[in-house]
């Protein structure tokens, strides 16, 4: 049965981009429908991304700490055993609680939720193949494409999610593998590699570039976190390209080549995690039916107001330009609905924080040192190590540092890069400072509570405009 009533907004995809836009549209009084095929709201982030990975990161860190880091804290523990089933159940409970929470928010804000796969029938009509069988169609004055992304496959190594896995398989392994090779030392490789390394797997990360961390991470910070992860037991092969793979034997074999043309080598492991990036997902959307084109990386082409060439069809989140981050998708969702409702919206793409939830965490916002150098922008640097911070010392968790980059003339903050405990929370302060155009002296003259890790942030600012007190 088709719906006859025209909606103000029809959203295809109920991930972070789609569901936030739906709630915002409901709040703005728009008649809105959200179509999602997964059977649960929240998309990659809630179901197989941010949330389940952080659950496993948190609990594997606790397990690892209890095994290796209790004696000097005056805690004697007995037999410590891993119950992987229970750890996975804890993860599933967090996920289902949050996805159901969004269904509740949909009801609260009057959002219609259709479980099914949406395809463009025309520029205003979306046909939906319902998950429960049958079909319907929805007509919208405005349409928002928010279909997200998927793991980029490695040619010749087909995913089976047990031996050759994407991040989704890495969130659901049934036992701890004896060995794991991670292809790609970006955020997914390092987060999921950390989880399985802490739980007992021998993890080797093979990275094509000469630095880990993926795009955006400051060189100095990347070197520092690599050293710390190595100390925790992870192995790294940098400047090394995986050329081909073979999964016919008991172990998976990978042919690797030095990126600089050194000797080729064969590596093998029980499980291979392919983490070489994600690509926009628009399959089955029927973009060809409305003449919408993708760029050479499969992204839906949009203008600065998220409009495709059909100005009532917009696109946001992972399936278009920009970093593939949940909070970026969320900002765009609010802005896109504001454009529709009010004609103006805003996202500051220069001030989007990144966090890698390893231990210690890595977090940054703004420009890094290599970017400033490449752009010939003058800068000054201030550093403060957590080993000189009282709270980090009392917590016996002193690895890492805060690094600030600022304009030498105006002292305006240009970027902040943190490797250290709770870096992911601390970066919010740097983000606010950057958004408001603060100078490092502004930050340094702001009173920070003692003893807190955030004092390292203040002292890095002091070191940038003058001198730190405690270092
Ligand atoms: P998605 O979340 O992918 O949602 C798109 C939705 O659209 C999907 O649910 C899909 O089923 C649906 N869909 C697609 N086509 C159709 C169709 N035709 N009809 C109906 N529905 C359709 N980001 C962070 O900021 N922080 C993190 O800690 C973080 N951790 C991550 C960990 C992992 C392992 C992964 C894989 C990603 C992580 N990300 C993280 C990235 C984050 O998940 C994405 O940036 C975010 O989910 C993008 O949101 P989106 O709504 O654009 O796309
Ligand atoms: P990425 O782009 O961060 O890293 C991929 C890495 O793989 C790069 O360093 C690249 O040089 C390397 N690589 C590519 N081909 C290779 C080959 N043949 N051999 C060896 N190395 C190779 O991608 P990702 O880690 O897969 O993450 C995908 C997306 O998900 C990212 O955009 C990321 O921001 C997002 N994500 C974010 C978080 C977070 O915010 N905490 C967590 C997970 C994922």
């Amino acid at each position: 049965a088709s719906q006859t009533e025209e909606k103000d907004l029809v959203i295809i995809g109920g991930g972070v981009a789609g569901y936030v836009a739906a709630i915002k549209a409901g709040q703005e009084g728009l008649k809105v429908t959200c179509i999602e095929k997964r059977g649960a709201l929240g998309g990659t982030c809630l179901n197989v991304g941010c949330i389940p990975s952080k659950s496993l990161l948190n609990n594997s860190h606790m397990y690892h700490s209890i095994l290796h880091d209790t004696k000097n804290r005056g805690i004697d523990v007995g037999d410590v055993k891993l119950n992987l089933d229970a750890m996975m159940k804890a993860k599933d409970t967090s996920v289902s609680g949050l996805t159901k929470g969004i269904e509740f928010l949909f009801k609260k804000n009057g959002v219609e939720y259709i479980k099914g796969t949406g395809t463009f029938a025309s520029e205003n009509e979306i046909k939906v193949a319902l998950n429960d069988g049958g079909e319907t169609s929805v007509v919208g004055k405005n349409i928002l494409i928010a279909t997200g992304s998927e793991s980029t496959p490695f040619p010749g190594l087909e995913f089976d999610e047990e031996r050759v896995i994407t991040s989704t398989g890495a969130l659901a392994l049934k036992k701890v593998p004896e060995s794991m090779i991670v292809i790609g030392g970006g955020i997914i490789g390092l987060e999921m590699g950390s989880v399985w390394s802490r739980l007992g797997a021998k993890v080797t990360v093979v990275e094509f570039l000469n630095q880990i961390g993926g795009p955006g991470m400051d060189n100095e910070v990347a070197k520092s976190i690599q050293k710390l992860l190595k100390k925790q037991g992870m192995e790294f092969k940098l400047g090394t390209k995986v050329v081909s793979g073979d999964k016919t034997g008991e172990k998976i074999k990978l042919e690797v080549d030095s990126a600089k043309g050194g000797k080729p080598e064969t590596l093998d492991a029980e499980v291979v995690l392919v983490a070489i990036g994600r690509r926009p997902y628009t399959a089955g959307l029927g973009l060809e039916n409305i003449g919408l084109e993708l760029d050479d990386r499969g992204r839906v082409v949009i203008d600065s107001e998220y409009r495709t060439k059909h100005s009532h069809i917009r696109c946001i989140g992972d399936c278009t330009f920009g970093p593939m981050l949940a909070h970026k998708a969320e900002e765009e969702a609010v802005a896109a609905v504001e454009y529709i409702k009010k004609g103006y919206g805003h996202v500051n793409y220069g001030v989007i924080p990144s966090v890698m939830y390893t231990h210690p965490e890595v977090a940054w916002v703004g420009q890094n040192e290599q970017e400033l150098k490449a752009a010939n922008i003058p800068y000054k640097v201030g550093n403060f190590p957590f080993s000189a911070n009282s709270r980090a010392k009392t917590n016996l968790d002193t690895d890492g540092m805060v690094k600030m980059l600022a304009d030498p003339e105006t002292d305006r903050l240009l970027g902040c890069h943190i490797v250290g405990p709770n870096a992911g929370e601390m970066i919010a302060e740097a983000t606010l400072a950057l958004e408001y155009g603060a100078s490092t002296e502004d930050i340094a003259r702001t009173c920070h509570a003692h003893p807190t890790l955030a004092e390292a942030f203040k002292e890095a600012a002091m070191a940038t405009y003058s001198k730190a007190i405690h270092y």
Side-chain angles (χ1 to χ4, degrees), residues 136-178:
T136 186
S137 81
V138 211
V139 174
K141 261 190 222 128
N142 293 282
I143 295 181
L144 187 65
I145 302 170
T147 48
S149 62
E150 62 177 354
S151 304
T152 306
F154 187 87
L157 265 183
E158 206 184 307
F159 293 127
D160 52 43
E161 297 300 9
E162 282 179 13
R163 299 193 327 134
V164 177
I165 60 177
T166 64
S167 50
T168 302
L171 292 166
L173 289 179
K174 292 190 182 65
K175 68 180 207 23
V176 181
E178 174 225 322

Side-chain angles (χ1 to χ4, degrees), residues 84 143 180 189 257 286 290 325 358 362 368 387 424 432 437:
L84 189 59
I143 295 181
M180 176 185 278
D257 237 339
I290 53 165
L325 294 172
T358 46
V362 178
N368 63 36
S387 57
L432 196 65

Side-chain angles (χ1 to χ4, degrees), residues 323-335:
M324 290 186 175
L325 294 172
H327 42 279
K328 174 264 193 187
E330 204 168 326
E331 293 301 305
E332 290 184 340
V334 170

Side-chain angles (χ1 to χ4, degrees), residues 72 163 176 242 245 271 315 326 351 367 369 411 413 461:
N72 53 343
R163 299 193 327 134
V176 181
V242 177
V271 170
C315 177
V351 188
Q367 287 165 294
E369 218 175 328
D411 189 35
L413 184 67

